Amino acid sequence: KDALSKFWATYKTVSDEYDDDMLERCNGNMDIVLIFAGLFATVNTAFIIAMQPNPSDTTNVLLVHLMLNISNGPSATQPMILPLSTGLSSSKLWMQALAYASLAFSLLAAYGAVMGKQW
């Protein structure tokens, strides 16, 4: 063999080893990203659920008024006072927006890692 073909054979061997090592490291890194994104999305979803308003408050007030109407009979002197729905404060709105945005980016990172592993 001449020197040039020996050089390219050595180059191919070294580059194949380097490529295999790099692919193994990238595959391991994508596994870590998938695990982290899954755990983060789970915890983030739990916080999002905890931030939701409680719909049973209004239901309980309506049931109390219904029970009062049934037991006392309908009366025009009983005003029906429902809890006021003031909506979300600006800080709660920002917290929920950030929580949903972080959930979306976490799922996007997981999607990117899955696409990288499939490639």
PDB file of all heavy atoms in Angstrom, residues 36-69:
ATOM      1  N   PHE A  36     -35.265  14.564  32.604  1.00  0.00           N
ATOM      2  CA  PHE A  36     -35.470  15.843  33.276  1.00  0.00           C
ATOM      3  C   PHE A  36     -36.752  16.517  32.803  1.00  0.00           C
ATOM      4  O   PHE A  36     -37.526  17.035  33.619  1.00  0.00           O
ATOM      5  CB  PHE A  36     -34.279  16.777  33.043  1.00  0.00           C
ATOM      6  CG  PHE A  36     -34.472  18.132  33.641  1.00  0.00           C
ATOM      7  CD1 PHE A  36     -34.344  18.328  35.005  1.00  0.00           C
ATOM      8  CD2 PHE A  36     -34.817  19.206  32.847  1.00  0.00           C
ATOM      9  CE1 PHE A  36     -34.544  19.569  35.566  1.00  0.00           C
ATOM     10  CE2 PHE A  36     -35.020  20.455  33.392  1.00  0.00           C
ATOM     11  CZ  PHE A  36     -34.878  20.638  34.761  1.00  0.00           C
ATOM     12  N   ALA A  37     -36.997  16.522  31.497  1.00  0.00           N
ATOM     13  CA  ALA A  37     -38.197  17.172  30.965  1.00  0.00           C
ATOM     14  C   ALA A  37     -39.453  16.468  31.463  1.00  0.00           C
ATOM     15  O   ALA A  37     -40.448  17.130  31.796  1.00  0.00           O
ATOM     16  CB  ALA A  37     -38.158  17.184  29.438  1.00  0.00           C
ATOM     17  N   GLY A  38     -39.427  15.149  31.547  1.00  0.00           N
ATOM     18  CA  GLY A  38     -40.583  14.426  32.055  1.00  0.00           C
ATOM     19  C   GLY A  38     -40.858  14.725  33.520  1.00  0.00           C
ATOM     20  O   GLY A  38     -42.000  14.976  33.912  1.00  0.00           O
ATOM     21  N   LEU A  39     -39.815  14.737  34.338  1.00  0.00           N
ATOM     22  CA  LEU A  39     -39.991  15.039  35.760  1.00  0.00           C
ATOM     23  C   LEU A  39     -40.432  16.488  35.963  1.00  0.00           C
ATOM     24  O   LEU A  39     -41.305  16.784  36.778  1.00  0.00           O
ATOM     25  CB  LEU A  39     -38.699  14.762  36.526  1.00  0.00           C
ATOM     26  CG  LEU A  39     -38.317  13.295  36.656  1.00  0.00           C
ATOM     27  CD1 LEU A  39     -36.945  13.168  37.311  1.00  0.00           C
ATOM     28  CD2 LEU A  39     -39.348  12.536  37.447  1.00  0.00           C
ATOM     29  N   PHE A  40     -39.819  17.401  35.206  1.00  0.00           N
ATOM     30  CA  PHE A  40     -40.171  18.813  35.338  1.00  0.00           C
ATOM     31  C   PHE A  40     -41.617  19.046  34.913  1.00  0.00           C
ATOM     32  O   PHE A  40     -42.355  19.790  35.566  1.00  0.00           O
ATOM     33  CB  PHE A  40     -39.229  19.681  34.506  1.00  0.00           C
ATOM     34  CG  PHE A  40     -39.489  21.142  34.636  1.00  0.00           C
ATOM     35  CD1 PHE A  40     -39.055  21.839  35.747  1.00  0.00           C
ATOM     36  CD2 PHE A  40     -40.195  21.824  33.660  1.00  0.00           C
ATOM     37  CE1 PHE A  40     -39.297  23.196  35.881  1.00  0.00           C
ATOM     38  CE2 PHE A  40     -40.443  23.166  33.786  1.00  0.00           C
ATOM     39  CZ  PHE A  40     -39.992  23.855  34.903  1.00  0.00           C
ATOM     40  N   ALA A  41     -42.037  18.420  33.822  1.00  0.00           N
ATOM     41  CA  ALA A  41     -43.412  18.584  33.350  1.00  0.00           C
ATOM     42  C   ALA A  41     -44.404  18.034  34.373  1.00  0.00           C
ATOM     43  O   ALA A  41     -45.470  18.619  34.582  1.00  0.00           O
ATOM     44  CB  ALA A  41     -43.594  17.890  31.999  1.00  0.00           C
ATOM     45  N   THR A  42     -44.051  16.948  35.029  1.00  0.00           N
ATOM     46  CA  THR A  42     -44.938  16.368  36.038  1.00  0.00           C
ATOM     47  C   THR A  42     -45.114  17.300  37.229  1.00  0.00           C
ATOM     48  O   THR A  42     -46.236  17.566  37.671  1.00  0.00           O
ATOM     49  CB  THR A  42     -44.380  15.012  36.517  1.00  0.00           C
ATOM     50  OG1 THR A  42     -44.228  14.153  35.389  1.00  0.00           O
ATOM     51  CG2 THR A  42     -45.286  14.379  37.533  1.00  0.00           C
ATOM     52  N   VAL A  43     -44.008  17.815  37.735  1.00  0.00           N
ATOM     53  CA  VAL A  43     -44.070  18.731  38.880  1.00  0.00           C
ATOM     54  C   VAL A  43     -44.771  20.029  38.485  1.00  0.00           C
ATOM     55  O   VAL A  43     -45.593  20.562  39.237  1.00  0.00           O
ATOM     56  CB  VAL A  43     -42.650  18.999  39.423  1.00  0.00           C
ATOM     57  CG1 VAL A  43     -42.655  20.101  40.464  1.00  0.00           C
ATOM     58  CG2 VAL A  43     -42.067  17.723  40.000  1.00  0.00           C
ATOM     59  N   ASN A  44     -44.468  20.531  37.304  1.00  0.00           N
ATOM     60  CA  ASN A  44     -45.075  21.773  36.833  1.00  0.00           C
ATOM     61  C   ASN A  44     -46.588  21.609  36.674  1.00  0.00           C
ATOM     62  O   ASN A  44     -47.358  22.510  37.014  1.00  0.00           O
ATOM     63  CB  ASN A  44     -44.432  22.193  35.516  1.00  0.00           C
ATOM     64  CG  ASN A  44     -44.679  23.629  35.188  1.00  0.00           C
ATOM     65  OD1 ASN A  44     -45.264  24.364  35.962  1.00  0.00           O
ATOM     66  ND2 ASN A  44     -44.230  24.045  34.026  1.00  0.00           N
ATOM     67  N   THR A  45     -47.018  20.468  36.175  1.00  0.00           N
ATOM     68  CA  THR A  45     -48.453  20.208  36.029  1.00  0.00           C
ATOM     69  C   THR A  45     -49.144  20.175  37.389  1.00  0.00           C
ATOM     70  O   THR A  45     -50.267  20.681  37.532  1.00  0.00           O
ATOM     71  CB  THR A  45     -48.673  18.879  35.282  1.00  0.00           C
ATOM     72  OG1 THR A  45     -48.031  18.957  34.009  1.00  0.00           O
ATOM     73  CG2 THR A  45     -50.136  18.599  35.086  1.00  0.00           C
ATOM     74  N   ALA A  46     -48.468  19.618  38.385  1.00  0.00           N
ATOM     75  CA  ALA A  46     -49.049  19.597  39.731  1.00  0.00           C
ATOM     76  C   ALA A  46     -49.237  21.020  40.264  1.00  0.00           C
ATOM     77  O   ALA A  46     -50.259  21.339  40.879  1.00  0.00           O
ATOM     78  CB  ALA A  46     -48.157  18.798  40.675  1.00  0.00           C
ATOM     79  N   PHE A  47     -48.266  21.905  40.015  1.00  0.00           N
ATOM     80  CA  PHE A  47     -48.407  23.293  40.442  1.00  0.00           C
ATOM     81  C   PHE A  47     -49.517  24.008  39.668  1.00  0.00           C
ATOM     82  O   PHE A  47     -50.249  24.827  40.230  1.00  0.00           O
ATOM     83  CB  PHE A  47     -47.091  24.059  40.291  1.00  0.00           C
ATOM     84  CG  PHE A  47     -46.118  23.783  41.393  1.00  0.00           C
ATOM     85  CD1 PHE A  47     -44.902  23.188  41.127  1.00  0.00           C
ATOM     86  CD2 PHE A  47     -46.415  24.114  42.701  1.00  0.00           C
ATOM     87  CE1 PHE A  47     -43.998  22.928  42.137  1.00  0.00           C
ATOM     88  CE2 PHE A  47     -45.520  23.858  43.726  1.00  0.00           C
ATOM     89  CZ  PHE A  47     -44.314  23.262  43.444  1.00  0.00           C
ATOM     90  N   ILE A  48     -49.642  23.721  38.389  1.00  0.00           N
ATOM     91  CA  ILE A  48     -50.700  24.348  37.585  1.00  0.00           C
ATOM     92  C   ILE A  48     -52.074  23.930  38.102  1.00  0.00           C
ATOM     93  O   ILE A  48     -52.983  24.753  38.223  1.00  0.00           O
ATOM     94  CB  ILE A  48     -50.521  23.991  36.090  1.00  0.00           C
ATOM     95  CG1 ILE A  48     -49.317  24.749  35.516  1.00  0.00           C
ATOM     96  CG2 ILE A  48     -51.779  24.309  35.299  1.00  0.00           C
ATOM     97  CD1 ILE A  48     -48.954  24.342  34.110  1.00  0.00           C
ATOM     98  N   ILE A  49     -52.218  22.663  38.432  1.00  0.00           N
ATOM     99  CA  ILE A  49     -53.497  22.187  38.966  1.00  0.00           C
ATOM    100  C   ILE A  49     -53.798  22.855  40.299  1.00  0.00           C
ATOM    101  O   ILE A  49     -54.936  23.233  40.583  1.00  0.00           O
ATOM    102  CB  ILE A  49     -53.477  20.650  39.088  1.00  0.00           C
ATOM    103  CG1 ILE A  49     -53.498  20.024  37.701  1.00  0.00           C
ATOM    104  CG2 ILE A  49     -54.657  20.152  39.910  1.00  0.00           C
ATOM    105  CD1 ILE A  49     -53.253  18.538  37.690  1.00  0.00           C
ATOM    106  N   ALA A  50     -52.776  23.025  41.132  1.00  0.00           N
ATOM    107  CA  ALA A  50     -52.982  23.648  42.446  1.00  0.00           C
ATOM    108  C   ALA A  50     -53.349  25.127  42.331  1.00  0.00           C
ATOM    109  O   ALA A  50     -54.002  25.674  43.224  1.00  0.00           O
ATOM    110  CB  ALA A  50     -51.730  23.490  43.295  1.00  0.00           C
ATOM    111  N   MET A  51     -52.961  25.782  41.239  1.00  0.00           N
ATOM    112  CA  MET A  51     -53.249  27.214  41.064  1.00  0.00           C
ATOM    113  C   MET A  51     -54.651  27.479  40.532  1.00  0.00           C
ATOM    114  O   MET A  51     -55.094  28.615  40.504  1.00  0.00           O
ATOM    115  CB  MET A  51     -52.235  27.855  40.102  1.00  0.00           C
ATOM    116  CG  MET A  51     -50.890  28.106  40.716  1.00  0.00           C
ATOM    117  SD  MET A  51     -49.841  29.109  39.657  1.00  0.00           S
ATOM    118  CE  MET A  51     -49.346  27.945  38.415  1.00  0.00           C
ATOM    119  N   GLN A  52     -55.352  26.439  40.099  1.00  0.00           N
ATOM    120  CA  GLN A  52     -56.686  26.637  39.525  1.00  0.00           C
ATOM    121  C   GLN A  52     -57.675  27.041  40.616  1.00  0.00           C
ATOM    122  O   GLN A  52     -57.578  26.586  41.744  1.00  0.00           O
ATOM    123  CB  GLN A  52     -57.163  25.359  38.841  1.00  0.00           C
ATOM    124  CG  GLN A  52     -56.297  24.925  37.691  1.00  0.00           C
ATOM    125  CD  GLN A  52     -56.194  25.963  36.610  1.00  0.00           C
ATOM    126  OE1 GLN A  52     -57.175  26.568  36.225  1.00  0.00           O
ATOM    127  NE2 GLN A  52     -54.985  26.180  36.112  1.00  0.00           N
ATOM    128  N   PRO A  53     -58.632  27.915  40.274  1.00  0.00           N
ATOM    129  CA  PRO A  53     -59.636  28.299  41.277  1.00  0.00           C
ATOM    130  C   PRO A  53     -60.526  27.109  41.636  1.00  0.00           C
ATOM    131  O   PRO A  53     -60.718  26.195  40.840  1.00  0.00           O
ATOM    132  CB  PRO A  53     -60.443  29.403  40.581  1.00  0.00           C
ATOM    133  CG  PRO A  53     -60.181  29.241  39.138  1.00  0.00           C
ATOM    134  CD  PRO A  53     -58.840  28.586  39.000  1.00  0.00           C
ATOM    135  N   ASN A  54     -61.057  27.151  42.844  1.00  0.00           N
ATOM    136  CA  ASN A  54     -61.875  26.057  43.340  1.00  0.00           C
ATOM    137  C   ASN A  54     -63.341  26.292  42.961  1.00  0.00           C
ATOM    138  O   ASN A  54     -63.993  27.172  43.506  1.00  0.00           O
ATOM    139  CB  ASN A  54     -61.727  25.954  44.860  1.00  0.00           C
ATOM    140  CG  ASN A  54     -62.342  24.707  45.406  1.00  0.00           C
ATOM    141  OD1 ASN A  54     -62.870  23.889  44.673  1.00  0.00           O
ATOM    142  ND2 ASN A  54     -62.262  24.549  46.713  1.00  0.00           N
ATOM    143  N   PRO A  55     -63.881  25.500  42.029  1.00  0.00           N
ATOM    144  CA  PRO A  55     -65.272  25.720  41.606  1.00  0.00           C
ATOM    145  C   PRO A  55     -66.291  25.250  42.646  1.00  0.00           C
ATOM    146  O   PRO A  55     -67.469  25.590  42.561  1.00  0.00           O
ATOM    147  CB  PRO A  55     -65.398  24.897  40.328  1.00  0.00           C
ATOM    148  CG  PRO A  55     -64.389  23.820  40.475  1.00  0.00           C
ATOM    149  CD  PRO A  55     -63.256  24.430  41.274  1.00  0.00           C
ATOM    150  N   SER A  56     -65.862  24.498  43.633  1.00  0.00           N
ATOM    151  CA  SER A  56     -66.823  23.995  44.610  1.00  0.00           C
ATOM    152  C   SER A  56     -67.295  25.086  45.577  1.00  0.00           C
ATOM    153  O   SER A  56     -68.310  24.898  46.249  1.00  0.00           O
ATOM    154  CB  SER A  56     -66.223  22.824  45.386  1.00  0.00           C
ATOM    155  OG  SER A  56     -65.142  23.267  46.179  1.00  0.00           O
ATOM    156  N   ASP A  57     -66.594  26.213  45.657  1.00  0.00           N
ATOM    157  CA  ASP A  57     -67.044  27.295  46.534  1.00  0.00           C
ATOM    158  C   ASP A  57     -68.418  27.814  46.102  1.00  0.00           C
ATOM    159  O   ASP A  57     -69.328  27.952  46.925  1.00  0.00           O
ATOM    160  CB  ASP A  57     -66.030  28.439  46.544  1.00  0.00           C
ATOM    161  CG  ASP A  57     -64.713  28.041  47.197  1.00  0.00           C
ATOM    162  OD1 ASP A  57     -64.713  27.034  47.947  1.00  0.00           O
ATOM    163  OD2 ASP A  57     -63.707  28.713  46.948  1.00  0.00           O
ATOM    164  N   THR A  58     -68.566  28.103  44.823  1.00  0.00           N
ATOM    165  CA  THR A  58     -69.846  28.586  44.305  1.00  0.00           C
ATOM    166  C   THR A  58     -70.919  27.509  44.436  1.00  0.00           C
ATOM    167  O   THR A  58     -72.063  27.802  44.810  1.00  0.00           O
ATOM    168  CB  THR A  58     -69.704  29.007  42.835  1.00  0.00           C
ATOM    169  OG1 THR A  58     -68.671  29.971  42.742  1.00  0.00           O
ATOM    170  CG2 THR A  58     -70.992  29.594  42.301  1.00  0.00           C
ATOM    171  N   THR A  59     -70.550  26.273  44.162  1.00  0.00           N
ATOM    172  CA  THR A  59     -71.504  25.180  44.273  1.00  0.00           C
ATOM    173  C   THR A  59     -72.007  25.033  45.701  1.00  0.00           C
ATOM    174  O   THR A  59     -73.211  24.839  45.937  1.00  0.00           O
ATOM    175  CB  THR A  59     -70.846  23.867  43.810  1.00  0.00           C
ATOM    176  OG1 THR A  59     -70.368  24.033  42.492  1.00  0.00           O
ATOM    177  CG2 THR A  59     -71.827  22.713  43.855  1.00  0.00           C
ATOM    178  N   ASN A  60     -71.118  25.143  46.674  1.00  0.00           N
ATOM    179  CA  ASN A  60     -71.524  25.018  48.077  1.00  0.00           C
ATOM    180  C   ASN A  60     -72.467  26.136  48.496  1.00  0.00           C
ATOM    181  O   ASN A  60     -73.442  25.894  49.216  1.00  0.00           O
ATOM    182  CB  ASN A  60     -70.295  24.990  48.983  1.00  0.00           C
ATOM    183  CG  ASN A  60     -69.521  23.712  48.837  1.00  0.00           C
ATOM    184  OD1 ASN A  60     -70.039  22.701  48.388  1.00  0.00           O
ATOM    185  ND2 ASN A  60     -68.254  23.755  49.226  1.00  0.00           N
ATOM    186  N   VAL A  61     -72.208  27.363  48.053  1.00  0.00           N
ATOM    187  CA  VAL A  61     -73.089  28.484  48.394  1.00  0.00           C
ATOM    188  C   VAL A  61     -74.466  28.270  47.778  1.00  0.00           C
ATOM    189  O   VAL A  61     -75.498  28.502  48.431  1.00  0.00           O
ATOM    190  CB  VAL A  61     -72.468  29.817  47.934  1.00  0.00           C
ATOM    191  CG1 VAL A  61     -73.461  30.952  48.049  1.00  0.00           C
ATOM    192  CG2 VAL A  61     -71.226  30.118  48.742  1.00  0.00           C
ATOM    193  N   LEU A  62     -74.513  27.826  46.527  1.00  0.00           N
ATOM    194  CA  LEU A  62     -75.802  27.569  45.877  1.00  0.00           C
ATOM    195  C   LEU A  62     -76.565  26.442  46.576  1.00  0.00           C
ATOM    196  O   LEU A  62     -77.793  26.515  46.731  1.00  0.00           O
ATOM    197  CB  LEU A  62     -75.594  27.231  44.404  1.00  0.00           C
ATOM    198  CG  LEU A  62     -75.170  28.407  43.517  1.00  0.00           C
ATOM    199  CD1 LEU A  62     -74.812  27.900  42.126  1.00  0.00           C
ATOM    200  CD2 LEU A  62     -76.252  29.450  43.454  1.00  0.00           C
ATOM    201  N   LEU A  63     -75.871  25.407  47.016  1.00  0.00           N
ATOM    202  CA  LEU A  63     -76.538  24.319  47.734  1.00  0.00           C
ATOM    203  C   LEU A  63     -77.094  24.793  49.073  1.00  0.00           C
ATOM    204  O   LEU A  63     -78.190  24.377  49.469  1.00  0.00           O
ATOM    205  CB  LEU A  63     -75.566  23.160  47.944  1.00  0.00           C
ATOM    206  CG  LEU A  63     -75.275  22.308  46.716  1.00  0.00           C
ATOM    207  CD1 LEU A  63     -74.183  21.291  47.011  1.00  0.00           C
ATOM    208  CD2 LEU A  63     -76.534  21.623  46.233  1.00  0.00           C
ATOM    209  N   VAL A  64     -76.373  25.660  49.771  1.00  0.00           N
ATOM    210  CA  VAL A  64     -76.864  26.195  51.043  1.00  0.00           C
ATOM    211  C   VAL A  64     -78.133  27.005  50.810  1.00  0.00           C
ATOM    212  O   VAL A  64     -79.125  26.874  51.535  1.00  0.00           O
ATOM    213  CB  VAL A  64     -75.778  27.035  51.742  1.00  0.00           C
ATOM    214  CG1 VAL A  64     -76.359  27.865  52.877  1.00  0.00           C
ATOM    215  CG2 VAL A  64     -74.670  26.136  52.249  1.00  0.00           C
ATOM    216  N   HIS A  65     -78.140  27.843  49.781  1.00  0.00           N
ATOM    217  CA  HIS A  65     -79.336  28.637  49.469  1.00  0.00           C
ATOM    218  C   HIS A  65     -80.499  27.734  49.054  1.00  0.00           C
ATOM    219  O   HIS A  65     -81.652  28.006  49.415  1.00  0.00           O
ATOM    220  CB  HIS A  65     -79.038  29.668  48.374  1.00  0.00           C
ATOM    221  CG  HIS A  65     -78.297  30.859  48.876  1.00  0.00           C
ATOM    222  ND1 HIS A  65     -78.862  31.784  49.717  1.00  0.00           N
ATOM    223  CD2 HIS A  65     -77.037  31.279  48.663  1.00  0.00           C
ATOM    224  CE1 HIS A  65     -77.993  32.719  50.000  1.00  0.00           C
ATOM    225  NE2 HIS A  65     -76.861  32.433  49.368  1.00  0.00           N
ATOM    226  N   LEU A  66     -80.212  26.695  48.332  1.00  0.00           N
ATOM    227  CA  LEU A  66     -81.262  25.752  47.937  1.00  0.00           C
ATOM    228  C   LEU A  66     -81.858  25.067  49.164  1.00  0.00           C
ATOM    229  O   LEU A  66     -83.085  24.945  49.277  1.00  0.00           O
ATOM    230  CB  LEU A  66     -80.696  24.721  46.959  1.00  0.00           C
ATOM    231  CG  LEU A  66     -81.664  23.684  46.420  1.00  0.00           C
ATOM    232  CD1 LEU A  66     -82.726  24.370  45.571  1.00  0.00           C
ATOM    233  CD2 LEU A  66     -80.934  22.643  45.637  1.00  0.00           C
ATOM    234  N   MET A  67     -81.001  24.653  50.070  1.00  0.00           N
ATOM    235  CA  MET A  67     -81.490  24.008  51.296  1.00  0.00           C
ATOM    236  C   MET A  67     -82.300  24.988  52.146  1.00  0.00           C
ATOM    237  O   MET A  67     -83.316  24.611  52.737  1.00  0.00           O
ATOM    238  CB  MET A  67     -80.314  23.458  52.114  1.00  0.00           C
ATOM    239  CG  MET A  67     -79.591  22.308  51.449  1.00  0.00           C
ATOM    240  SD  MET A  67     -80.644  20.912  51.086  1.00  0.00           S
ATOM    241  CE  MET A  67     -81.032  20.356  52.721  1.00  0.00           C
ATOM    242  N   LEU A  68     -81.881  26.254  52.203  1.00  0.00           N
ATOM    243  CA  LEU A  68     -82.646  27.262  52.945  1.00  0.00           C
ATOM    244  C   LEU A  68     -84.007  27.493  52.307  1.00  0.00           C
ATOM    245  O   LEU A  68     -85.016  27.644  53.002  1.00  0.00           O
ATOM    246  CB  LEU A  68     -81.871  28.578  53.037  1.00  0.00           C
ATOM    247  CG  LEU A  68     -80.671  28.580  53.983  1.00  0.00           C
ATOM    248  CD1 LEU A  68     -79.912  29.894  53.859  1.00  0.00           C
ATOM    249  CD2 LEU A  68     -81.110  28.340  55.413  1.00  0.00           C
ATOM    250  N   ASN A  69     -84.053  27.541  50.989  1.00  0.00           N
ATOM    251  CA  ASN A  69     -85.330  27.726  50.290  1.00  0.00           C
ATOM    252  C   ASN A  69     -86.252  26.533  50.495  1.00  0.00           C
ATOM    253  O   ASN A  69     -87.469  26.685  50.626  1.00  0.00           O
ATOM    254  CB  ASN A  69     -85.104  27.953  48.802  1.00  0.00           C
ATOM    255  CG  ASN A  69     -84.708  29.374  48.500  1.00  0.00           C
ATOM    256  OD1 ASN A  69     -84.909  30.268  49.314  1.00  0.00           O
ATOM    257  ND2 ASN A  69     -84.130  29.588  47.333  1.00  0.00           N
TER     258      ASN A  69
END
